[in-house]
Every structure is written in C-alpha cells, then in structure tokens.
Amino acid sequence: MSSVRARTALGATLVVALALVVAGVALLGVLRGNLVDQAELEAEVSARSVASQIAGGTPFGKLDLPDDTEEHPVQVVDEEGRVVAIGEDIEAIGGTGSPGTKVVAGGGEAETGEVGEEAAYSTGDVTVDGDTAAYRFAAVKASGPQGEVTVYAGAPLATEAATVAGVRDAMLAALPLLLLVVGGVTWLVTRRALRPVEGIRREMAAITASEDLTRRVPEPATRDEVARLARTTNETLAALEASVERQRRFVADASHELRSPIASLRTQLEVAAAHPELLDLPGAVADTVRLQQLAADLLLLARLDAGERPGQGRVDLAALVREEVAQRVGDRVPVRVEAEQAEVDGSRGQLARVLGNLLDNAQRHAEAAVAVTVRREGRHVVLTVADDGAGVPEPERERIFERFVRLDDARSRDEGGAGLGLAIARDVAVRHGGTLTVGRAPLGGALFVLRLPGG
C-alpha cells in the first residue's frame, strides 16, 4: 500500500485483532477453569456426603444417594475395584476406573470410620437413561465397618461447555465490528494528523516549481512532530535562500572585481598593439598578478564552500610565523614577532594563507608597527596580529569578514585587495575548528585574534 493512512489503519487493525484473539483465548481459558473448579467443588461435596455416611457405618444398600442422578451421579468402589453402590438409572460410567455394575454388599455392625482429607479429580462420561454426557468426578477415600472404599461423585460439565461456547460465539460475532471501528477510527485520526504534512508537501512542490525561495510552508499551531517538521523545513528554506542570495552576490561582486583588471589589461594590450612604444609593461604585469590572486582566492572560497576539509597534520604555528615573516622582504612596516612553540592540527598551506592575509591587512593600515604573537591558552593556541593604524570601528567588526567588503574609501587596486582576504581567513579558521575575531590593539589599531584547538 502506498498510502501511509492505509498502512497505519491496517497495522492498527492487525495489532488489535491479535490482541483481542490473545485476550479472548486467555479469557475463555480462565472462564473454563473457573467453571471446572466449580464443578469439582460440587462433585467433592456430593462425594464427601456419601463418604460420611459410609464412615458412620451406613450399609451400602442403605446409602442416601442423590436423587437427581443426572446432576450428581455417584459410584462407590471397594478395594478390589468392585462397584458396591451406584446411583439410580446409571447405565454406564467412565473415568472412575471401574465398570458400572451394581453389587450390593451385606451390612455389618455399625462402627465409626473416617473420610480421606484429599480428593482426586478426573473427567469421564456417564450414560443415564440412554443419554451420555461429560462429567467432572471427585474421588474421596472412606473407611467403615465394611472396609475401605472410594466414593466417586460427578458434576455435569454441560454448563461449562455451554457458557464457554456462548462467550466464544459472542466474541467472534463482535470481533469484526470492533475491528471495523478500530480501522475506521485509525484511518480518520491518521488522515487528520497527516493533513498538515500534505499541506507542507504541496507547498514544497510549488516552491520547487516556482523556484521562489521566499515562500514558506504552513506551520500548524500544534506543538507536535508535524509542527516541528514544518518549522525545520522553513528554517532550511531560509538557510537555502540565504545561501542562494550569498552566491548571487558573490557572482556579482566577483564579476565586478574581474571586470576592472581585465578591462585595464585589454586596454593596455590594445594600445601596445597600435603603439608598442606606449606599452605600460609594469601596469600589465600588476593587473595580471591581481587577476591571478583573485582567481586563486575565488578557487579557494569555492573549495571551502564545497566543504573541503583541511589536511590532517601537525603544524608548529611559531615556526610557521617566523618562516612567513622572514619571506616578506617587501613589507613597508617591520613586523615584530613573539612566539612560543605551539602545535595545532590542520593544513600548513591554509594556515599560512590566513597568516599572510592578516599580515597584508596589517601592512595596509599600519603606520609604523605590526606585531605578531603566538601563545598557548589552556587547550588552545592563540595567534594575534596587531597594528597601530586607525583600527576597525566596532559596528564594522563583523562586516569586514564578509566577502568583497572593504572599508577603504576607494576600490581601486591601489587601495588594497578585492575584499576576500579576511573572509578567507575566517572560513579557514572555522574549518580548523577555531575562531577569528577582531578588536582594539594595545597599539591603538586593529587586533586580529586567531584561536585554534591545541590538540
């Protein structure tokens, strides 16, 4: 079945049917046991009544046996298995271990005997006036002047059979109706419960067809699982909308950033083609380098957005800082380094890229000093890059980590990069399980703090 409602209704009906069958069998078993116990009690009372007469010295021929033989058949058997007394009109009796032949023994002197304390039970058939029926027998030992005998008294099981059959038939008659009610109620309840799910499905289908990510699925007013599903779906749609919008802005900003150096480079090449003596070779090289750096940044961001994980290796952050600073021979402001040995897990190349971007940013804004420190703080390793420039205004301290965001007044290549360096640095920090924040440095400028797990 493709319908959840149908499967749920069928499953609930089958479970209830199984439970009812098990409960019915158990009920019938308990009822049958109680009725059999009642029959045994009646049979034992009759047997002890006759046994008391024998223990009191009453001869077998003068025993006061129950008048209603069909209800309480009685048979007395001696130690040799002979029937010494039997109820009137009994033609045959089974289940007592002796044939139904009446043999009356002679009476003796009255002496006091005794009756056995325990009774044994068995089931057999008795034929009275040509009718045979099932009985439950109680056997009681008794001793008297005429010796030791066993008294068998029976109680009919017809009432037990009729009662059990009646209850069974009533249960079988009610079972289909009850199962129909259970199935119908389950169907209706499931239909009502799944109605919001169908609304969510239709809205999601409409969103997919229209590609309008501003739409949201309806959220039920309840607090159940369906409402949580709707809220989670809307949160997913909001995140997807934000991601798509971010990608659109990224493409637009990347196109803008690429257009300027490409146009400049083309212009220089066209001028050089017409007037070779006017070729601005250093400018063409600078534009080419800028294009190369921008392409590398875009490629790295694309890999980070795709979920690329940094390679696992041990990186000595202090050694990495000293090596990176030593290679920067063209910096206009000298860099002061204070670093203690501290290792982290991650990609050496990506961490070097983060440090390089932070140093580039500091060199761009510093006036006379740039400082880099590496230290351990508990289980973390902290790298800081500080400068003595103008710093970052507090309202802008998060926005500068967005892509293509620059606080410079101009956007020419002379004023810095494309606004991707800090965005890349934070993305790499997050991929390494760390954080990158900015605050105010003791020197008065910006203080960038990279915090990574020490491992």
Side-chain angles (χ1 to χ4, degrees):
M1 294 184 182
S2 59
S3 172
V4 174
R5 287 175 294 173
R7 292 198 301 269
T8 303
L10 178 60
T13 303
L14 292 177
V15 170
V16 172
L18 179 61
L20 290 177
V21 169
V22 173
V25 171
L27 176 62
L28 292 177
V30 172
L31 179 61
R32 181 181 290 108
N34 289 337
L35 293 175
V36 170
D37 290 343
Q38 183 178 354
E40 289 178 351
L41 179 59
E42 294 179 5
E44 184 177 355
V45 169
S46 297
R48 289 193 180 278
S49 176
V50 175
S52 298
Q53 298 179 47
I54 295 174
T58 303
F60 297 138
K62 297 181 179 181
L63 292 174
D64 183 13
L65 301 181
D67 295 331
D68 191 353
T69 304
E70 291 186 356
E71 292 295 326
H72 300 95
V74 175
Q75 177 181 254
V76 182
V77 181
D78 63 11
E79 293 181 310
E80 298 180 359
R82 295 175 301 177
V83 177
V84 296
I86 194 169
E88 187 177 359
D89 298 330
I90 296 179
E91 300 174 2
I93 187 169
T96 62
S98 60
T101 303
K102 182 178 180 181
V103 178
V104 179
E109 298 180 356
E111 295 182 4
T112 301
E114 60 182 11
V115 179
E117 295 182 357
E118 296 184 1
Y121 304 99
S122 61
T123 302
D125 298 328
V126 177
T127 302
V128 180
D129 292 334
D131 296 328
T132 302
Y135 288 80
R136 188 66 173 169
F137 287 99
V140 177
K141 297 286 186 179
S143 61
Q146 303 170 85
E148 185 174 336
V149 296
T150 303
V151 180
Y152 294 95
L157 294 176
T159 302
E160 174 266 339
T163 302
V164 172
V167 173
R168 182 191 63 231
D169 293 343
M171 293 173 60
L172 291 177
L175 181 62
L177 179 60
L178 182 59
L179 293 180
L180 182 62
V181 171
V182 170
V185 171
T186 304
W187 174 277
L188 293 177
V189 172
T190 307
R191 179 182 180 182
R192 181 179 179 85
L194 293 180
R195 187 176 301 163
V197 177
E198 179 62 20
I200 294 173
R201 187 203 64 79
R202 287 197 299 267
E203 187 62 24
M204 286 296 294
I207 293 173
T208 302
S210 65
E211 298 183 356
D212 183 6
L213 295 179
T214 61
R215 300 174 62 173
R216 297 293 181 265
V217 301
E219 295 186 14
T222 58
R223 297 182 180 180
D224 55 10
E225 292 83 353
V226 177
R228 292 197 292 271
L229 172 63
R231 285 193 292 271
T232 303
T233 302
N234 284 334
E235 291 171 0
T236 303
L237 288 173
L240 183 60
E241 179 187 7
S243 176
V244 171
E245 183 62 27
R246 185 169 60 250
Q247 290 297 326
R248 289 172 179 170
R249 290 199 307 267
F250 179 79
V251 172
D253 290 339
S255 300
H256 176 81
E257 294 293 337
L258 288 170
R259 182 172 54 190
S260 296
I262 290 176
S264 175
L265 183 60
R266 177 179 178 179
T267 300
Q268 294 181 59
L269 293 177
E270 289 177 348
V271 170
H275 307 281
E277 69 279 3
L278 299 179
L279 174 63
D280 182 9
L281 186 59
V285 172
D287 285 335
T288 304
V289 171
R290 185 182 178 196
L291 281 174
Q292 183 182 14
Q293 292 175 345
L294 183 57
D297 288 345
L298 294 176
L299 180 60
L300 178 56
L301 284 174
R303 293 203 308 266
L304 294 176
D305 288 341
E308 178 181 283
R309 293 290 180 180
Q312 291 302 316
R314 299 296 291 176
V315 179
D316 187 344
L317 210 55
L320 179 64
V321 168
R322 294 189 180 93
E323 179 180 339
E324 184 70 18
V325 171
Q327 294 176 355
R328 300 175 66 90
V329 295
D331 288 346
R332 66 180 184 86
V333 177
V335 178
R336 179 170 54 86
V337 177
E338 294 181 5
E340 61 181 74
Q341 184 177 6
E343 293 186 346
V344 297
D345 292 328
S347 167
R348 182 181 180 85
Q350 291 187 9
L351 292 177
R353 183 65 174 275
V354 172
L355 178 60
N357 289 352
L358 295 180
L359 289 174
D360 288 341
N361 183 79
Q363 289 288 337
R364 188 177 303 119
H365 297 92
E367 294 183 0
V370 174
V372 180
T373 65
V374 177
R375 66 181 184 275
R376 299 190 65 90
E377 288 186 1
R379 297 182 178 179
H380 291 84
V381 176
V382 179
L383 182 149
T384 64
V385 177
D387 62 71
D388 61 348
V392 181
E394 187 170 350
E396 306 290 343
R397 288 179 181 175
E398 279 299 315
R399 197 170 74 88
I400 62 172
F401 293 106
E402 297 178 7
R403 298 174 183 181
F404 298 105
V405 170
R406 289 175 297 186
L407 303 184
D408 307 280
D409 294 334
R411 293 180 59 89
S412 68
R413 68 173 182 263
D414 296 332
E415 297 295 333
L420 293 177
L422 296 180
I424 291 175
R426 171 166 279 189
D427 283 351
V428 172
V430 172
R431 292 295 188 278
H432 282 75
T435 59
L436 178 61
T437 58
V438 62
R440 185 171 182 81
L443 300 176
L447 174 65
F448 287 87
V449 180
L450 174 65
R451 186 180 299 270
L452 298 173

